[in-house]
Amino acid sequence: MSKVKFVFCTHNHQPVGNFGWVFERAYQVSYKPFMQVMLNHPKIRWSLHASGMLWEYISKEHPDYIKSVKKLVASGNLEILSGGYYEPIMTSIPDRDKIGQINKLTAYLENKFGCEEVNGAWLAERVWEPGLAKNLCEAGIEYTVLDDAHFAAAGMEPENLRGYYTTEEQGCSLNIFPISQNLRYSIPFQNVENTINYFKKAALNAGKDGQPPVLVMADDGEKFGMWPGTNKHVYENGWLEKFLTAIEENSDIVETASFSEILKTRKSSGMVYLPCASYFEMSEWSLPSDAQQKFENVLGRYSGDAEAKTFMRGGFWRNFLSKYEESNNMHKKMLYVSDKIKKYTDNNKPFSEKSLDSLYAGQCNCAYWHGVFGGLYLPHLRNAVYNSLLKAENLYNKSFLKRSSWTSCDFDCDMENEYLYESKTQNIYVKADRGGSIFEFDILKISHNLLDVLTRRYESYHKRLKDNISRAVIASDDDEEVRTIHNDEIKVKEAGLDKYLSYDLYRRASLIDHFIPKETKHEDFTFVRFKENGDFVSGKYEAKISASKLILKRNGKVDGNDICLTKTIIPSVTGYAVHYEIENNSDKEADLCFVPEQVFAFSSRTGDDCADLKEISLWKRYDDYFKIEVEVKLSEKSAAFVYPIETISNSENGYEKTYQGTVFAPLVKKVLKPGESFKFDMETVVNIKI
């Protein structure tokens, strides 16, 4: 029997833009008590990774914790891992930013804690692509940690992974430690005895190479206190204390070790080339919703067949960029700003550390995807990404932007040009091939994208909510039941959520040109239960830049009539005017109800966000958080629908309804004879009240 080397690693992270009280709660219920227990076990070696902004928060608010870390590092009990400073998905950012983010965190750790050598890196969400090996090597990294699911995807047996492996990219070598899913799922949720028995079994089945087996448990630190019911379980009921004591008492079977110690005392178990992967659950979440439902059905049929599941996998992280247009928009904005920042060096301008740091903060991964945590569905996280990116862009503009102008480029990399208006006060981005709509509207003084609104779309878990709504229970903040986040229990934050499961037929944007029946009711328009009489919403418009104007034109159909719609977007200092001209080119009369819909990402819903207005020429909405007032002026009095966009998403604490933005949709009713046209103007102004 060979003694098991056990590497115990926790990863602590809170996203950019998360609320201060969440940072503090995570510290009080998870990070602090975990550290206190570890300090009482000087025989235990362990490893820790925390994202840079979390280190900054703890350093400022809880310096005693930092002293404890320094003490453990100095004694050799604690090894700290580097990684991306702001926890980006490494595969999604430019190579120069990958290396820059790692170097920033490595330097911080060496300066803050006196680490002699930081040579390991944590990869956010363990998202792996083969090319990363070269990037990590170039950043001075010798090893990283990935799930055994990555190795299973390469045809290897997870239960036979008892060491570490070596891969390479273009001759650059990197060591990879596999994380045991068995340990990840059992710690801290199962009895301590189960884990000790697992170590005993591993000790009896040592590898043929004669080297001691190595087992790794590396996972979120928040599962030790912040996940539902775990604070009482792990600390009050003493799970962590019992676990560490059991390891000490079974020192003839298992002993803790650091990653670096394993590298120095044990040979690599061989070469491996891993495919694009993350942990298994991520492969489910990243699939399109319909495919995800089918994948879950297949998993259900083979749930008892461990061998079959080994060869099952869904999508990979980049699928989120095609699954959610809003995620792709943020990602392409990040790449666009990163290229701008690069011009500081390309044009021999003074380098701006502040702009680079803002760019890095805008690469924080959490808002770019959605699984069991809120992620993309949480407006404050998306807002933080845009806020950071726009701050970086503002700094760039001071040096390089000479005049306001329209330009065209393939912004979102779909092989179709978008039209971008950029000034020192605002950005207006238009998709001519998608209804001639405005898909980004940046107010630069407050660094806010006023079109950061999430579309209501079907998610695979919506079926579970609908099918089980009668037995759903209201989630409680003081829920003490110990459970993982991977469970099928139906908990809701409020009753009646199934009533809000309506799905948009188009991406939420501004200047969406509807033609609808005149009798359409407010509620039907709100919940997408109306007939679209025209083909303009997602149709392709011809676009032409004329001085400071963007002219968009489409010949389309409305109830069989040939209709020509021309809209001209004219930017102002902070806002824009739109001049519409609609002509009936048919030989019969056209009875039209034209609805040029706009949507705005306010910080929260108000009582006025649901209204069926009559005969108005001005609509106003104030947002106290952003300190802005939005005005929409109409050239003639019209009725208007106002309603909130609210999504239903799943989270670790249950299903919840989230406000995303407010729609303003004027109803312009006209009857046009053959060859007749009408004109309509709409002006949107954002007044900043700071």
Side-chain angles (χ1 to χ4, degrees), residues 88-156:
I89 298 295
M90 282 293 182
T91 60
S92 73
I93 66 176
D95 288 351
R96 60 183 177 270
D97 297 339
K98 294 181 178 75
I99 296 170
Q101 287 248 17
I102 294 172
N103 287 344
K104 181 177 176 66
L105 184 54
T106 298
Y108 181 91
L109 297 175
E110 290 176 346
N111 293 332
K112 175 66 69 173
F113 301 112
C115 303
E116 293 183 5
E117 187 177 22
V118 179
N119 56 8
W122 181 265
L123 295 180
E125 305 304 325
R126 282 98 76 193
V127 174
W128 170 262
E129 292 182 17
L132 278 177
K134 184 173 186 291
N135 304 132
L136 294 175
C137 288
E138 290 173 340
I141 298 301
E142 296 180 9
Y143 72 86
T144 191
V145 193
L146 300 174
D147 289 65
D148 53 15
H150 295 67
F151 292 79
M156 303 173 74

Side-chain angles (χ1 to χ4, degrees), residues 606-630:
T606 70
D608 297 328
D609 279 355
C610 188
D612 188 354
L613 305 175
K614 308 297 182 184
E615 299 301 307
I616 65 165
S617 57
L618 174 65
W619 177 74
K620 290 184 179 183
R621 168 70 149 80
Y622 178 70
D623 190 287
D624 187 57
Y625 178 80
F626 292 120
K627 304 299 180 187
I628 57 171
E629 181 181 65
V630 174

Side-chain angles (χ1 to χ4, degrees), residues 35 38 43 85 122 361 405 444 449 459 568 641 652 655:
M35 177 62 72
M38 298 307 290
K43 293 181 181 180
Y85 194 92
W122 181 265
S405 63
L444 296 178
N449 174 14
E459 297 283 2
T568 302
F641 294 151
E652 66 272 27
Y655 290 84

Side-chain angles (χ1 to χ4, degrees), residues 15 152 499 640:
K499 298 176 183 177

Side-chain angles (χ1 to χ4, degrees), residues 152-173:
M156 303 173 74
E157 286 286 345
E159 287 304 308
N160 293 333
L161 301 173
R162 293 293 183 264
Y164 67 91
Y165 295 79
T166 304
T167 192
E168 61 80 30
E169 168 69 12
Q170 300 179 48
C172 298
S173 298

Side-chain angles (χ1 to χ4, degrees), residues 441-456:
F441 179 28
D442 302 321
I443 309 301
L444 296 178
K445 186 172 182 179
I446 59 171
S447 298
H448 177 55
N449 174 14
L450 199 47
L451 269 172
D452 176 24
V453 177
L454 195 67
T455 302
R456 298 174 296 189

Side-chain angles (χ1 to χ4, degrees), residues 289-300:
S289 295
D290 289 337
Q292 185 179 349
Q293 184 64 61
K294 293 176 182 177
F295 188 60
E296 289 173 358
N297 294 338
V298 171
L299 289 176

Side-chain angles (χ1 to χ4, degrees), residues 337 340-341 344 349-359 387-401 423-424 444 447:
V337 174
K340 283 187 169 185
I341 300 305
Y344 275 113
K349 293 287 184 180
F351 181 75
S352 173
E353 186 68 35
K354 188 175 181 180
S355 64
L356 192 61
D357 196 59
S358 293
L359 167 66
N387 182 268
S388 298
L389 296 176
L390 293 173
K391 283 180 178 178
E393 190 170 32
N394 268 321
L395 291 165
Y396 166 85
N397 286 348
K398 289 180 181 179
S399 297
F400 290 100
L401 187 63
S423 74
K424 292 193 175 184
L444 296 178
S447 298

